[in-house]
Amino acid sequence: MTPGNAETSVHRPDVKYGYIPMELKNIYLLHHSHLDCGFTHSQMVIQELQTDFLDHALDLLDATDDWDEPSKPRWTIEVHEQLRLWLASAPPAQVRKLTHYVKTGRIGMGALRYNTTPLSSLESLHRLLVDVPGYRKQAGFPITVAFQCDVNGLPWVMSDLLLDAGVELFVMAVNLHTGGNGPLRPGLFRWRTPRGRSLRVWSGHDYAAFDIITEPWKHSPETMKARLDAHWEMLQEKGYPYDFLYLTSTNLPVAYDNGGPSLVTAEKVREWNRQPGFPPVHYVSPEELNRKLKTIPDRDIPEFTGDWNDFWNYGAGSTAREVVLNAGTRQKLFSSTLLATQRPHQPRLRKLHQQAWEQVQAFEEHTWGYWAHAMHPDHPQVISTEIHKRGLAHDGHEMARYVQGARLAEAAGNPSMYTSEGLLVVNPSPLQKAVTLDIPCTWRKHLLGHLSGFSYHNSEPLTPVVQNSFWGQSSGDLIRIEMEPFSTKRIPWTECPVPVETDGVKHGSMENLVRIQVLDGHEEECRKTGNQFLESPFHYLEFHPKNGRITRLLDKRSGWEVLPPDADYNLLEPVHEKPDPSQDGSRKSYYDRDVEKEIRFQDCWNEKWQAARSGIRDVVDVRVERGPRTVRLIREYRMEGVSALQQRFELSADHPWMEVEIILQKDFVRSPEALYFVSQLNLDADWSSVYDSSGVPVTLDEENMPGTNRSWITQEAFTRMEDGKNQFSVFAPGMPLVQIGGFHWGKPGASIPRNAHPLLLNWACNNYWETNFPTTQEGVIRFTLGLYTSRDESNADIYRMADGFAAKPLFLPVAECSGQESGRLVELDNPHVRLVSVVDSFHHRGMIFRFSNPGICAETCVIDFVREVTRVLHVNPIEDILEACPLTGNSVRISVAPREIVSLLIQYPGEEMA
């Protein structure tokens, strides 16, 4: 089959009569415990239970060691977080037993640490794989198969990372609940990766399907077979092409999720296999399944390409505050490690840095809490699991703040107490920047201590520190500093330039006085009509001074009128959505689950559900604030579900994007609802859109696999819409959910309509999930977005702007500063090569730098690491060394293919290979 988004598959069209049934010859059964952190018990209890389950699995293997080979149970460790938990307390005798059963093929393991979500950054995805070499070496696991159960997708780039890690087969067990089946199910296909390679994928039944279909705990083998025969007939009607079934078993009826091995099921399998004429049931390990599927030649397997965008991640909108924090944590960890590249090795900070990443990854795991969240929101288990899940984001963020502050203090060289002579500023972004900093006035005058760089008041002065404080007050000292990409600057207070007011930013009025004759005979009134405007070198913005509605946005560089005339929505207009209560206001209005239908691969979306949408109820205030280099439109509203909402649109003379800060006081609401910020764009019909999927640019529809979601997507760095002439990009790392083209919540469509004047919906929050996601998130939530207009810019150009927006400057007073000093942290000579992340190596001494090429042509880049480097080694995602890279001084030249990720291990003097 020709590579591409082929809609054809090996399935025959559904028919009711006339098909020729195929005989079922073999059933391959994989037994595992599905790790669902917090779904059945609290997260801490589940960690201990998963340890118990592996012990129980070893007992089961001992007890059945003399059984016939097909009936002899095998156990699969679905994701290796389960093994990590077990190894933390396993006695040596148990470890030896585990190793024995790995060697004999009765225990296998998947390649990924967690069942994950599209919240994962590119670095997060690497970290899901990085422990694989240790498990291969220490316990002998082959690890050629990766599993993802429950979830509805996996970021496209992961297909390449899996191949690079030695994975040959990816097994997907989609849970169809509020999801979709993907391009082909059940069956085998090849997933064409971003780099054009091919990963084999078995897209199979939901996990526990063997238990659901046959119910072995209560039925005889004859009844089990009758039930399975009925299911087989259904598959035959759908054109299922193979003479075998691959099914999974967990621990029903005790548990779908977080269950141990089932001796009851194993005994029933052995009894089944003794029945004459029954197709044999073979317990299989991951590697046995892989070997059996390898007998199917590539020529008989269809190929699909593109992003496997997840349906379920809309649930992340139930913890919007924590999603913002988690994105900020990743940025802080990047900035602090970039600083560490120029400093001696610090084992303690390295350990704390890894701990913060642990919290990030645990937050990105696919389970948000207890199964009864929506039904019993005040249940003590619901409360405990929710607090724990939210706490992961908060704890990770605070640990990252400490590490970042410590790295800054280390770079500054400050004693424990001091008075400052100047300022250290760090630009961790790829852009040359002119930044205006709001410096606490106490930094110049007061005695400072080590803790001064760690408080919100000093290090993040605009962050609200009490619930009802929407905006922190200015500390009083503004300075403006120009900086090179990835650079540092030390500057004495006496030489810190005050920002000079520029006439490049303006606020003006086009209002007119109009005399109004009142009807009751009183005197005439004078009223103002017309708009006011803001202007920068990059944009001209008009707004209505009474209600704050933005009526015009002009890109001055291209002449593009960004907003269509008489648009239904203006720029980031707040919209509240809920199921229409006059029809059906419940969560089941859009999806009413029927497990029997889902096991037959039929979803339960209600195509006729109706939404009720509302906008602003009250305009509280509209005003303009002027800074020396900026001008801001501030509008404050009230609306359904939100008692206070403030938006600050800032135009700057120093950068080409418009920065928008949004803070809202979310009300306590448990009924289903969602909040969007909607922009209507002056784009022609047949527009296109590109979004960042965990570090790889994806073209909407064109690069989404058939049957996967595109009605709402998860972006990290940016979302862009364009019509061949003009481009509109939103940078929103803390608001990753987006709907493109219009309101699409509900049954997802096969493609997105391309009407003129489309909508771009930044989806701030929702509580639409009906199971394990929080039903309310009252309180203050703060977002920061960048709006960027352009023409004919490449994906690499947009990534640079997005990274420049996301990577905020860091600053700290310094005790000694006799004169200005500038430094660089790293230098890249090609702007089309992106520095994605910098982390400490797991398996070696040194640091890992990751680079990507988001473009369509191969790129070369010279990287100068600034300080002395002894070795540079090209490594794969699990840090196996591929080759040494020739050094020229402290520089190395790399070649990066389109959409390739290159990881380099950098070693400094005194560091030896582990």
Side-chain angles (χ1 to χ4, degrees):
M1 181 175 290
T2 303
N5 270 343
E7 296 287 353
T8 57
S9 76
V10 291
H11 287 183
R12 298 190 304 268
D14 286 353
V15 293
K16 293 186 180 298
Y17 307 100
Y19 66 93
I20 301 175
M22 183 184 296
E23 180 185 358
L24 175 59
K25 294 183 178 179
N26 290 284
I27 301 162
Y28 302 130
L29 182 61
L30 186 131
H31 195 16
H32 68 92
S33 173
H34 173 56
L35 179 61
D36 227 339
C37 297
F39 191 75
T40 58
H41 307 75
S42 73
Q43 291 89 340
M44 288 176 285
V45 170
I46 284 173
Q47 289 179 352
E48 301 307 320
L49 286 173
Q50 287 289 344
T51 297
D52 295 339
F53 297 154
L54 192 42
D55 284 329
H56 297 167
L58 293 174
D59 292 342
L60 175 67
L61 300 187
D62 285 345
T64 59
D65 203 37
D66 60 349
W67 286 19
D68 62 286
E69 197 61 32
S71 306
K72 188 180 292 187
R74 277 108 170 113
W75 182 253
T76 293
I77 303 170
E78 174 200 37
V79 289
H80 51 75
E81 175 66 3
Q82 297 161 312
L83 180 61
R84 188 191 70 83
L85 295 169
W86 183 81
L87 286 172
S89 60
Q94 284 290 83
V95 175
R96 288 193 295 271
K97 184 182 291 188
L98 172 93
T99 304
H100 164 72
Y101 281 126
V102 171
K103 185 177 181 180
T104 58
R106 294 190 69 193
I107 288 184
M109 186 168 68
L112 297 172
R113 180 176 179 181
Y114 290 113
N115 296 291
T116 189
T117 72
L119 290 178
S120 300
S121 66
L122 183 60
E123 184 58 39
S124 300
L125 296 177
H126 277 82
R127 299 175 87 86
L128 292 173
L129 289 163
V130 76
D131 290 323
V132 163
Y135 296 132
R136 284 174 174 161
K137 181 178 180 180
Q138 294 165 17
F141 285 101
I143 312 183
T144 61
V145 182
F147 296 90
Q148 285 289 273
C149 295
D150 232 4
V151 299
N152 275 234
L154 194 67
W156 192 14
V157 66
M158 197 62 177
S159 57
D160 271 321
L161 301 187
L162 289 171
L163 287 173
D164 289 340
V167 171
E168 300 171 354
L169 175 68
F170 174 49
V171 178
M172 192 70 154
V174 164
N175 186 334
L176 193 50
H177 186 192
T178 69
N181 284 312
L184 185 156
R185 191 183 186 203
L188 186 65
F189 67 88
R190 290 174 293 139
W191 188 4
R192 190 170 178 83
T193 75
R195 288 174 54 193
R197 298 181 293 171
S198 187
L199 173 68
R200 284 192 165 207
V201 177
W202 180 269
S203 178
H205 289 72
D206 198 353
Y207 62 94
F210 180 80
D211 306 333
I212 296 168
I213 296 167
T214 66
E215 298 183 331
W217 63 92
K218 68 179 182 181
H219 291 312
S220 67
E222 290 79 12
T223 302
M224 290 170 61
K225 184 175 185 299
R227 293 170 66 92
L228 199 60
D229 285 346
H231 189 77
W232 179 252
E233 183 176 356
M234 178 273 295
L235 292 180
Q236 291 294 288
E237 290 176 352
K238 289 181 174 293
Y240 179 74
Y242 306 118
D243 61 1
F244 66 86
L245 271 179
Y246 161 70
L247 299 172
T248 52
S249 175
T250 55
N251 192 238
L252 267 63
V254 177
Y256 288 86
D257 315 303
N258 302 309
S262 174
L263 179 60
V264 171
T265 300
E267 289 173 337
K268 197 59 65 74
V269 165
R270 183 167 63 162
E271 188 177 351
W272 169 296
N273 283 337
R274 291 171 174 169
Q275 306 303 310
F278 279 30
V281 177
H282 306 262
Y283 274 108
V284 293
S285 68
E287 276 62 44
E288 287 173 321
L289 175 65
N290 187 22
R291 286 194 293 271
K292 293 178 187 302
L293 293 180
K294 279 183 176 179
T295 63
I296 304 171
D298 277 354
R299 66 176 179 272
D300 295 334
I301 305 173
E303 183 175 71
F304 303 96
T305 187
D307 193 26
W308 199 332
N309 187 48
D310 182 89
F311 292 82
W312 276 15
N313 202 44
Y314 71 88
S318 68
T319 53
R321 182 188 299 107
E322 286 71 30
V323 168
V324 171
L325 283 177
N326 203 58
T329 300
R330 292 196 300 258
Q331 183 58 57
K332 285 178 170 59
L333 292 173
F334 170 78
S335 299
S336 61
T337 314
L338 193 60
L339 268 173
T341 61
Q342 303 303 308
R343 309 299 306 170
H345 179 65
Q346 292 283 359
R348 173 171 167 262
L349 289 181
R350 181 183 187 274
K351 181 180 179 181
L352 296 176
H353 182 275
Q354 299 288 19
Q355 288 178 5
W357 264 113
E358 290 286 314
Q359 304 287 68
V360 168
Q361 284 193 276
F363 181 75
E364 293 166 351
E365 191 270 341
H366 81 296
T367 317
W368 252 239
Y370 195 52
W371 65 270
H373 250 100
M375 290 170 279
H376 307 290
D378 294 316
H379 190 285
Q381 193 77 91
V382 168
I383 295 169
S384 294
T385 55
E386 181 177 335
I387 289 172
H388 183 90
K389 183 69 172 186
R390 292 184 188 274
L392 293 170
H394 291 271
D395 291 350
H397 188 256
E398 289 306 303
M399 184 60 72
R401 289 187 67 250
Y402 174 78
V403 173
Q404 179 177 276
R407 294 293 190 193
L408 273 171
E410 182 186 36
N414 292 334
S416 60
M417 294 185 68
Y418 62 97
T419 54
S420 66
E421 294 182 355
L423 187 69
L424 169 67
V425 185
V426 180
N427 175 16
S429 89
L431 295 183
Q432 183 171 334
K433 280 188 172 181
V435 295
T436 298
L437 303 177
D438 188 355
I439 302 300
C441 59
T442 56
W443 281 8
R444 294 180 189 250
K445 304 172 184 177
H446 294 180
L447 187 66
L448 301 174
H450 181 62
L451 58 79
S452 298
F454 297 90
S455 67
Y456 269 103
H457 176 67
N458 289 337
S459 63
E460 300 181 44
L462 287 182
T463 302
V465 293
V466 294
Q467 186 179 35
N468 293 319
S469 173
F470 266 24
W471 302 103
Q473 299 300 310
S474 169
S475 301
D477 287 350
L478 296 179
I479 63 173
R480 183 173 183 269
I481 298 179
E482 296 185 3
M483 302 194 69
E484 295 298 311
F486 301 126
S487 69
T488 65
K489 182 171 284 190
R490 298 167 73 100
I491 183 167
W493 292 122
T494 54
E495 299 180 32
C496 285
V498 176
V500 178
E501 285 220 19
T502 174
D503 58 5
V505 292
K506 301 175 184 177
H507 170 221
S509 174
M510 299 175 293
E511 296 169 293
N512 296 311
L513 283 175
V514 177
R515 293 187 179 277
I516 303 296
Q517 177 65 51
V518 295
L519 298 179
D520 58 4
H522 288 87
E523 296 179 1
E524 292 179 331
E525 293 181 5
C526 289
R527 299 180 186 173
K528 284 185 177 180
T529 63
N531 289 339
Q532 295 182 16
F533 69 88
L534 307 180
E535 188 171 6
S536 75
F538 309 101
H539 294 104
Y540 174 86
L541 180 150
E542 289 184 16
F543 66 96
H544 193 290
K546 296 295 184 184
N547 58 28
R549 184 178 180 85
I550 296 171
T551 58
R552 186 185 181 199
L553 178 63
L554 173 69
D555 180 338
K556 293 173 64 176
R557 295 180 297 176
S558 68
W560 179 40
E561 294 284 355
V562 178
L563 305 179
D566 301 321
D568 294 324
Y569 300 93
N570 68 110
L571 202 60
L572 295 179
E573 182 171 333
V575 175
H576 181 273
E577 178 185 81
K578 64 183 180 183
D580 188 343
S582 70
Q583 303 297 319
D584 182 354
S586 73
R587 283 183 173 81
K588 292 186 180 297
S589 62
Y590 37 79
Y591 196 96
D592 192 0
R593 190 179 194 190
D594 182 336
V595 176
E596 290 298 322
K597 288 182 66 177
E598 289 180 352
I599 203 68
R600 295 170 64 88
F601 310 107
Q602 300 169 8
D603 67 62
C604 304
W605 287 102
N606 177 12
E607 298 185 49
K608 297 182 179 180
W609 91 281
Q610 294 186 32
R613 299 189 182 99
S614 61
I616 298 159
R617 283 181 172 175
D618 298 299
V619 178
V620 177
D621 190 23
V622 177
R623 64 185 184 274
V624 172
E625 289 182 356
R626 174 69 191 268
R629 310 287 300 177
T630 59
V631 61
R632 304 180 192 93
L633 166 64
I634 302 173
R635 54 191 197 184
E636 298 182 7
Y637 302 126
R638 283 190 287 265
M639 60 187 301
E640 183 173 358
V642 179
S643 56
L645 167 66
Q646 188 179 104
Q647 295 177 303
R648 294 162 60 105
F649 294 82
E650 180 179 277
L651 280 66
S652 172
D654 294 323
H655 53 72
W657 58 79
M658 185 189 311
E659 188 156 325
V660 184
E661 294 184 274
I662 301 173
I663 190 162
L664 54 94
Q665 177 78 48
K666 188 71 191 65
D667 296 341
F668 183 90
V669 179
R670 280 181 171 166
S671 56
E673 61 166 2
L675 178 64
Y676 303 97
F677 293 100
V678 183
S679 303
Q680 189 161 13
L681 304 176
N682 187 22
L683 296 173
D684 295 338
D686 299 322
W687 47 268
S688 63
S689 181
V690 176
Y691 64 93
D692 168 41
S693 173
S694 299
V696 166
V698 172
T699 302
L700 184 72
D701 279 340
E702 182 181 328
E703 292 181 321
N704 294 107
M705 281 202 294
T708 63
N709 193 21
R710 65 284 316 269
S711 292
W712 52 93
I713 57 97
T714 304
Q715 60 81 41
E716 183 183 0
F718 71 88
T719 304
R720 182 174 80 245
M721 297 180 71
E722 57 191 314
D723 62 3
K725 297 174 292 185
N726 301 296
Q727 301 171 323
F728 182 86
S729 301
V730 179
F731 311 143
M735 195 188 294
L737 298 175
V738 180
Q739 293 180 21
I740 301 172
F743 291 91
H744 298 311
W745 170 247
K747 182 178 176 65
S751 62
I752 301 300
R754 294 302 201 275
N755 302 321
H757 301 169
L759 305 182
L760 180 61
L761 284 67
N762 291 95
W763 196 357
C765 53
N766 74 83
N767 62 353
Y768 279 159
W769 256 101
E770 62 172 296
T771 54
N772 65 319
F773 286 77
T775 55
T776 184
Q777 50 182 323
E778 69 280 0
V780 173
I781 309 173
R782 183 187 182 202
F783 307 96
T784 304
L785 297 82
L787 308 182
Y788 181 65
T789 55
S790 55
R791 173 173 285 184
D792 299 326
E793 292 196 2
S794 67
N795 289 331
D797 296 328
I798 302 299
Y799 270 111
R800 286 187 72 245
M801 287 297 167
D803 291 344
F805 167 79
K808 306 300 184 187
L810 315 177
F811 47 98
L812 189 74
V814 291
E816 297 182 4
C817 189
S818 57
Q820 288 197 37
E821 296 178 20
S822 296
R824 299 295 290 271
L825 302 170
V826 66
E827 295 184 27
L828 284 68
D829 75 344
N830 186 344
H832 295 107
V833 172
R834 182 188 184 209
L835 175 58
V836 180
S837 59
V838 185
V839 293
D840 290 302
S841 171
F842 268 81
H843 303 303
H844 313 287
R845 292 293 300 273
M847 292 184 172
I848 303 288
F849 284 67
R850 302 199 202 280
F851 303 90
S852 72
N853 173 10
I856 59 174
C857 299
E859 301 285 351
T860 60
C861 182
V862 174
I863 305 152
D864 187 340
F865 297 101
V866 181
R867 64 179 282 201
E868 185 180 355
V869 173
T870 56
R871 282 204 289 187
V872 176
L873 301 152
H874 186 193
V875 298
N876 66 11
I878 55 176
E879 298 189 9
D880 292 335
I881 295 171
L882 304 178
E883 61 180 350
C885 302
L887 271 169
T888 303
N890 299 316
S891 300
V892 66
R893 178 185 293 273
I894 62 171
S895 296
V896 193
R899 287 175 166 161
E900 183 182 11
I901 312 300
V902 171
S903 297
L904 299 181
L905 170 64
I906 314 304
Q907 294 193 309
Y908 304 102
E911 295 179 336
E912 299 176 354
M913 294 298 296

